[in-house]
Amino acid sequence: MNEKMAQKAVVVDGQEIVLNGEKNILEVAKKANIEIPTFCYHSDLSVYGACRMCLVEVEGRGLMPACSTPPEPGMVIKTTTSRVLQARRMMVEFYLANHERDCTVCERNLNCRLQAIAASLGIDEVRFGERKEKLPKDTSTFSLVRDPNRCILCGDCVRACKEIENIGVYDFTHRGSQTKVEPAFGKKLSEVECVYCGQCSIRCPTGALVVKSEVDNAWRAVLDSDLMVVAQIAPAVRVAIGEAFGLPPGEITTGKIVAALKKIGFDRVYDTAFSADLTVVEEAEEFFRRLQKGERLPQFTSCCPSWVIYAERNYPFYLENLSSARSPQQMFGSVIKNFICQVENVPREKLVSVSIMPCTAKKFEARRPEFIHDGIPDVDIVLTAQETIRMIKTANIDFRELEPLPFDVPLGAGSGAGVIFGVTGGVTEAVLRYAYERLTGQELQEVEFKGVRGMESVKEAEINFGERRVKVAIVHGLAMLQRLVQDMRRGERYYDFVEVMNCPGGCIGGGGMPLEYPDYQEVLRRRAEGLYNADRLSVVRKAQDNPSIKFLYEKWLQEANSEVAEHHLHTHYYSRRRISDEVIRIQEAKSAQKVDIAVCVGTSCYLKGSYDLLQELLELTKEYGVEDRVSVGATFCLEHCTEGPNIRINEEVFSGVSKDKLRQIFEEVVLSKLVAEAH
Amino acid sequence: METKKESLVLSRQFEKVNAILEKYSYKVDNLITILQEIQAEYRYLPEEILTYVATALQISPAQVYGVATFYAQFSLKPKGEHIIRVCDGTACHVKGSSQVLKAVRENLGLREGENTTSDLLFTVETVACIGACALAPALMVDEEVYGQMDEEKVQQLIDRLLGEGEKADAV
């Protein structure tokens, strides 16, 4: 090594490493093939430096945290000294003092970073007592289970929710020995703004946040010979399930997964990429109609359930813009319960529909009342990749050695377009492959739209369809989406089509996927590559060329956006309140003959000036001298966000209330009610 | 007493929150000060108000809750109109402050785990030292110090305070 290079080098455990823009000692050590343990470091989140596991000894400086110490030329770093080991062991003992020690019955047994690090350090005793107080588990959602007794306060979930989604469901609360990580007011996840995406859970280094398991239900179904169990496999899981069996991320294991599910006892195995093709056709046709009429643009994709629920709570003004096409999971659920049951001649209640998903929010989606008919859900059981891996392990299947099997007929595989739904930009590319041919009438030669690929958080593209230029945007992570929407609302950006995925990288980064690795960005990159490879290897690469799609339209659906298709493959959305709470009482009527008025001060109405209405209302009651007979309160949402500001008089909601209109309503409705009451 | 409670609810005017938020120009940096002023107004931090503050400052309710629970000065439970602070510093402790505390609680009819009377008139707290060691055992009612307390004196004090409360009610 020459002198100039040596000036830009550090020494890690005796090995000279040339610096090349590494942000911290962790990254430098990785170059020396040393994986320093951490709980709170994630390359895609801010550096927190709280867990102290990554302490290393830097000559002349003592113990330094490797995650938050930038390397400096000439540094001599030792990662395994007696001081380092003593410090790490001590830290782990402290963690274990506050952590439930029931590892053998924990969801994360053998899949837990705390357990792994304790094992690697050879901790064989915890010298401190256990936490006396047992805190209740939160099982309130369909997607996640939170067990505060297993929390080690690393704050990974806090930062994941804040930085990736900008929702901030969790924060540190209380202080000292009472410190907790919990949602606002210690509420349950179902009572706050959680979108069930599980980004917190894949980053949790312990069993404090885990996927809510439906494995027991799945076993009951497959082991019941009276039932016919039909599975659908989402695109993203085929390039990730292998990771749990020692295969590299991105390796395509579709055939092996089919074989494993058959061994477990699933009667039929289908491909969600098939219903993704169906989504492409339905969603693209919907888009053309909107383009022609120039209405309800931009069209937002609606396959991501976390994004849908976020939009329902926060963007009432865009609900009309969401594609009404159901997600691939729900389309397949509908196909199974309405078409396959006829083909197989099995009554709906004897047919169990199971979906294998990368996603925790899909569990919530399957329980939306729109997708349950006469008490029978279109999708009965949603298994995440993690749960599927558990079933394969329970069945003692040697996954690596399995002979691949094809999907079942008549609704065989999906096209390559359907497969890339699992990666950010994939839905857009799949729709473009369809749209180009449909709008220009020419065959698409180059099917790969490279411009919409890649991991940038926002991608933009303009595509020429003959005379019409179509502007698309692709965004993943709700934090980025929020910024994009802000710009769009201000008129600074305009698009015709917007693809939104809640998770970084799209579904390949889903909250139900195999747990996050130290090199997560690389894992995501390789999973994405895996899906693009699967697309390249597909015989059929466009949804419209999929013979099974043609078959289904001929046999059942007639044509895209037909009445049958609208009924079985489309849905609608609702405004939802963000937070469940009561009315804040401001003025209390003393008289029994009274009128109750509540003014909505939820975000949407607040921004439209509902606070001024509240003041005006109080003034009006004074002006007419009826303060004693009119109760006034503030409420957080009347669920009519699009038409705000809203007020409720007794049980009746009035929308679009301006100051002038308020006076009119007060005089006509409130005063007349009071007169009527008096009689 | 019911009328008293009702009028307390009424006195919690929502509009004050907006004035406070306005005063601190809706800046997250001023969150602690905002919470202090809200508590001065309401005598505690009601959940709905904290949610409202989060909405107005465009941060998550969890973040506001985190700050509100970090500092001992904030209370998320309603506090009484008068705060009785029983000193439990070393001097008061050895002079029998636990008997004083017990007497205060008994005279106010507080049950186990309760620190505020149901009529929202009194809240009882213990403090480490109020600097009145020479008068141990001591307690404070709002800003006023009462020294050399015993069970009998506590009873007289509380009777007097309750009497004043009723007089105020009558007015």
Side-chain angles (χ1 to χ4, degrees):
Chain A
M1 188 177 288
N2 64 37
E3 208 169 295
K4 205 176 165 198
M5 277 179 81
Q7 283 172 357
K8 290 167 88 183
V10 299
V11 176
V12 181
D13 292 343
Q15 193 183 336
E16 202 163 53
I17 304 289
V18 178
L19 296 180
N20 186 21
E22 287 80 10
K23 286 196 299 279
N24 50 46
I25 294 177
L26 277 181
E27 290 182 5
V28 181
K30 202 168 272 173
K31 277 174 95 176
N33 296 321
I34 292 165
E35 197 71 61
I36 297 172
T38 80
F39 289 124
C40 74
Y41 180 78
H42 296 271
S43 50
D44 56 342
L45 300 179
S46 61
V47 174
Y48 189 48
C51 80
R52 311 318 268 181
M53 283 315 296
C54 67
L55 289 175
V56 293
E57 218 169 329
V58 178
E59 215 172 78
R61 292 208 208 169
L63 291 177
M64 306 286 289
C67 67
S68 57
T69 310
E72 285 166 26
M75 256 184 182
V76 178
I77 301 155
K78 290 189 177 128
T79 67
T80 317
T81 67
S82 61
R83 277 185 78 192
V84 165
L85 285 182
Q86 197 191 0
R88 284 194 194 145
R89 283 207 184 109
M90 195 58 147
M91 285 315 300
V92 172
E93 268 194 81
F94 285 144
Y95 285 128
L96 292 173
N98 257 326
H99 179 84
E100 193 107 277
R101 295 173 210 164
D102 57 351
C103 291
T104 47
V105 291
C106 174
E107 286 272 335
R108 285 280 172 87
N109 191 18
L110 299 183
N111 202 5
C112 164
R113 206 175 309 159
L114 178 60
Q115 196 183 41
I117 292 177
S120 74
L121 286 170
I123 309 279
D124 54 6
E125 187 196 358
V126 181
R127 288 168 291 171
F128 315 107
E130 287 182 62
R131 187 151 57 177
K132 286 192 197 87
E133 192 195 355
K134 266 266 218 174
L135 301 165
K137 263 193 196 182
D138 178 0
T139 56
S140 63
T141 73
F142 291 115
S143 305
L144 299 163
V145 175
R146 200 174 73 85
D147 184 349
N149 303 298
R150 292 180 176 144
C151 178
I152 59 168
L153 307 177
C154 68
D156 293 359
C157 54
V158 176
R159 284 175 298 136
C161 195
K162 237 183 229 173
E163 294 173 17
I164 300 172
E165 312 302 346
N166 194 27
I167 295 179
V169 161
Y170 310 101
D171 214 321
F172 288 94
T173 69
H174 302 87
R175 172 158 71 155
S177 64
Q178 298 300 311
T179 307
K180 292 185 188 97
V181 167
E182 60 182 348
F185 311 107
K187 286 184 187 232
K188 293 178 177 156
L189 282 175
S190 60
E191 297 164 344
V192 292
E193 292 180 73
C194 178
V195 295
Y196 320 125
C197 70
Q199 287 302 307
C200 53
S201 161
I202 42 164
R203 283 170 180 77
C204 179
T206 74
L209 278 163
V210 297
V211 173
K212 192 174 205 178
S213 173
E214 293 177 57
V215 165
D216 290 347
N217 288 343
W219 275 118
R220 250 197 302 279
V222 291
L223 295 177
D224 186 338
S225 51
D226 252 10
L227 301 172
M228 180 172 202
V229 188
V230 181
Q232 54 165 314
I233 306 177
V237 299
R238 68 198 62 195
V239 289
I241 281 185
E243 292 164 25
F245 302 97
L247 297 170
E251 185 155 322
I252 306 159
T253 56
T254 323
K256 284 183 192 294
I257 300 172
V258 177
L261 293 180
K262 285 287 171 71
K263 265 192 193 295
I264 285 169
F266 285 87
D267 298 292
R268 300 282 183 275
V269 181
Y270 292 113
D271 191 354
T272 310
F274 163 80
S275 52
D277 285 342
L278 211 49
T279 306
V280 169
V281 175
E282 292 294 325
E283 187 164 346
E285 290 295 338
E286 184 184 20
F287 181 52
F288 301 152
R289 276 194 310 190
R290 292 193 194 178
L291 265 184
Q292 269 165 11
K293 291 188 189 156
E295 62 176 29
R296 295 200 277 157
L297 293 172
Q299 176 167 313
F300 287 90
T301 59
S302 61
C303 12
C304 172
S306 291
W307 149 235
V308 168
I309 187 171
Y310 185 81
E312 289 184 319
R313 287 191 189 133
N314 296 280
Y315 300 147
F317 40 85
Y318 274 151
L319 291 188
E320 284 281 294
N321 294 51
L322 253 67
S323 163
S324 70
R326 294 183 195 176
S327 72
Q329 163 176 285
Q330 292 310 139
M331 282 210 183
F332 219 123
S334 184
V335 170
I336 289 172
K337 291 287 168 92
N338 296 302
F339 180 74
I340 292 182
C341 67
Q342 285 173 26
V343 176
E344 301 276 3
N345 199 16
V346 178
R348 290 178 72 198
E349 60 276 13
K350 292 276 176 198
L351 198 65
V352 180
S353 128
V354 181
S355 64
I356 313 282
M357 291 285 142
C359 176
T360 45
K362 286 284 168 192
K363 289 173 182 282
F364 164 82
E365 184 185 64
R367 271 79 175 193
R368 289 181 67 115
E370 305 91 275
F371 303 137
I372 299 174
H373 307 284
D374 308 324
I376 303 174
D378 288 344
V379 176
D380 297 279
I381 297 169
V382 179
L383 297 175
T384 58
Q386 287 178 30
E387 293 161 88
T388 313
I389 290 164
R390 165 146 320 143
M391 287 186 83
I392 297 172
K393 288 189 170 168
T394 303
N396 302 310
I397 293 167
D398 187 349
F399 187 79
R400 293 170 66 122
E401 297 303 319
L402 281 176
E403 276 302 316
L405 286 178
F407 286 111
D408 281 297
V409 284
L411 304 177
S415 74
V419 170
I420 56 172
F421 256 60
V423 53
T424 171
V427 177
T428 306
E429 185 168 343
V431 168
L432 290 178
R433 288 181 193 178
Y434 180 87
Y436 181 88
E437 293 195 351
R438 177 71 167 61
L439 287 181
T440 64
Q442 293 162 7
E443 199 190 325
L444 181 64
Q445 298 301 328
E446 180 46 68
V447 296
E448 294 186 5
F449 288 82
K450 294 267 167 59
V452 298
R453 297 186 179 185
M455 289 291 169
E456 302 88 80
S457 34
V458 179
K459 286 166 284 186
E460 292 176 315
E462 275 192 50
I463 294 104
N464 283 326
F465 293 123
E467 282 153 37
R468 182 77 162 92
R469 277 173 87 74
V470 172
K471 280 198 81 170
V472 301
I474 295 147
V475 61
H476 50 142
L478 295 179
M480 284 314 293
L481 166 88
Q482 290 165 32
R483 281 198 236 162
L484 196 74
V485 166
Q486 238 172 35
D487 290 354
M488 287 162 67
R489 297 285 289 172
R490 277 202 224 107
E492 287 164 18
R493 291 174 192 246
Y494 177 82
Y495 305 107
D496 300 301
F497 186 88
V498 182
E499 174 195 310
V500 186
M501 295 291 160
N502 175 90
C503 296
C507 309
I508 51 168
M513 290 289 255
L515 293 175
E516 206 223 44
Y517 298 69
D519 237 344
Y520 192 48
Q521 301 309 307
E522 178 61 12
V523 171
L524 289 186
R525 205 187 53 73
R526 288 168 75 170
R527 286 179 188 164
E529 209 176 272
L531 286 184
Y532 287 124
N533 284 339
D535 166 39
R536 210 166 300 131
L537 294 171
S538 303
V539 185
V540 179
R541 298 187 70 186
K542 292 173 267 182
Q544 61 271 35
D545 296 347
N546 186 343
S548 309
I549 292 287
K550 289 178 186 161
F551 169 82
L552 196 67
Y553 276 104
E554 265 163 36
K555 291 279 173 209
W556 183 40
L557 298 168
Q558 297 155 6
E559 58 177 7
N561 294 6
S562 71
E563 219 167 282
V564 189
E566 284 290 337
H567 181 69
H568 289 293
L569 305 181
H570 288 257
T571 184
H572 40 268
Y573 309 100
Y574 306 94
S575 289
R576 286 170 194 264
R577 65 178 67 214
R578 291 166 66 198
I579 299 144
S580 52
D581 53 20
E582 290 168 10
V583 173
I584 307 169
R585 302 198 288 175
I586 292 162
Q587 175 172 294
E588 204 75 21
K590 292 197 181 72
S591 162
Q593 294 147 352
K594 57 166 184 156
V595 172
D596 283 312
I597 306 181
V599 177
C600 179
V601 292
T603 317
S604 184
C605 290
Y606 180 80
L607 294 174
K608 289 177 188 160
S610 63
Y611 177 67
D612 293 337
L613 284 183
L614 196 57
Q615 297 304 316
E616 179 72 12
L617 186 59
L618 292 170
E619 289 297 320
L620 279 170
T621 59
K622 275 189 204 125
E623 190 183 317
Y624 285 92
V626 289
E627 294 136 281
D628 277 6
R629 297 184 54 203
V630 177
S631 289
V632 177
T635 171
F636 273 97
C637 194
L638 296 170
E639 304 195 330
H640 287 71
C641 310
T642 26
E643 301 109 51
N646 301 298
I647 67 169
R648 185 178 59 206
I649 301 174
N650 289 343
E651 293 307 316
E652 197 180 346
V653 176
F654 295 81
S655 295
V657 183
S658 60
K659 257 188 174 177
D660 291 341
K661 198 169 163 197
L662 179 73
R663 176 171 285 272
Q664 189 193 341
I665 293 172
F666 191 86
E667 285 165 354
E668 285 171 13
V669 182
V670 181
L671 294 180
S672 66
K673 272 189 203 296
L674 285 173
V675 173
E677 283 273 355
H679 289 298
Chain B
M1 273 297 140
E2 194 50 44
T3 47
K4 184 94 195 166
K5 195 173 170 184
E6 216 168 290
S7 67
L8 272 174
V9 174
L10 291 182
S11 74
R12 284 175 199 144
Q13 290 288 312
F14 188 73
E15 58 200 88
K16 297 266 169 55
V17 180
N18 266 287
I20 294 166
L21 286 166
E22 198 83 48
K23 183 168 153 197
Y24 294 100
S25 24
Y26 296 85
K27 280 212 175 102
V28 184
D29 306 357
N30 297 326
L31 178 59
I32 293 172
T33 329
I34 290 170
L35 294 183
Q36 280 171 331
E37 296 213 3
I38 289 172
Q39 176 152 303
E41 192 60 48
Y42 292 78
R43 295 209 308 275
Y44 79 112
L45 299 174
E47 185 180 314
E48 316 83 64
I49 299 293
L50 291 186
T51 308
Y52 182 79
V53 168
T55 308
L57 299 183
Q58 300 188 354
I59 54 176
S60 74
Q63 195 176 341
V64 177
Y65 179 68
V67 172
T69 54
F70 184 85
Y71 295 101
Q73 60 173 309
F74 293 128
S75 172
L76 279 91
K77 285 191 189 134
K79 279 201 179 182
E81 205 168 325
H82 303 288
I83 313 275
I84 303 181
R85 296 184 178 86
V86 179
C87 182
D88 195 28
T90 316
C92 289
H93 188 81
V94 294
K95 285 273 197 176
S97 62
S98 44
Q99 287 308 309
V100 174
L101 178 65
K102 196 169 159 237
V104 171
R105 296 182 56 90
E106 269 170 12
N107 277 290
L108 290 175
L110 287 174
R111 274 171 306 201
E112 181 89 17
E114 237 177 39
N115 294 319
T116 300
T117 53
S118 56
D119 56 13
L120 289 177
L121 260 182
F122 297 100
T123 290
V124 180
E125 294 173 350
T126 56
V127 287
C129 184
I130 56 173
C133 308
L135 298 173
L139 60 79
M140 286 175 81
V141 177
D142 298 328
E143 298 305 311
E144 212 159 316
V145 178
Y146 297 84
Q148 293 177 322
M149 298 304 285
D150 55 30
E151 283 156 19
E152 205 184 309
K153 280 181 164 173
V154 167
Q155 194 182 345
Q156 287 166 1
L157 174 66
I158 304 264
D159 282 350
R160 192 162 57 76
L161 289 170
L162 286 173
E164 277 172 17
E166 264 155 38
K167 230 187 281 167
D169 250 4
V171 177

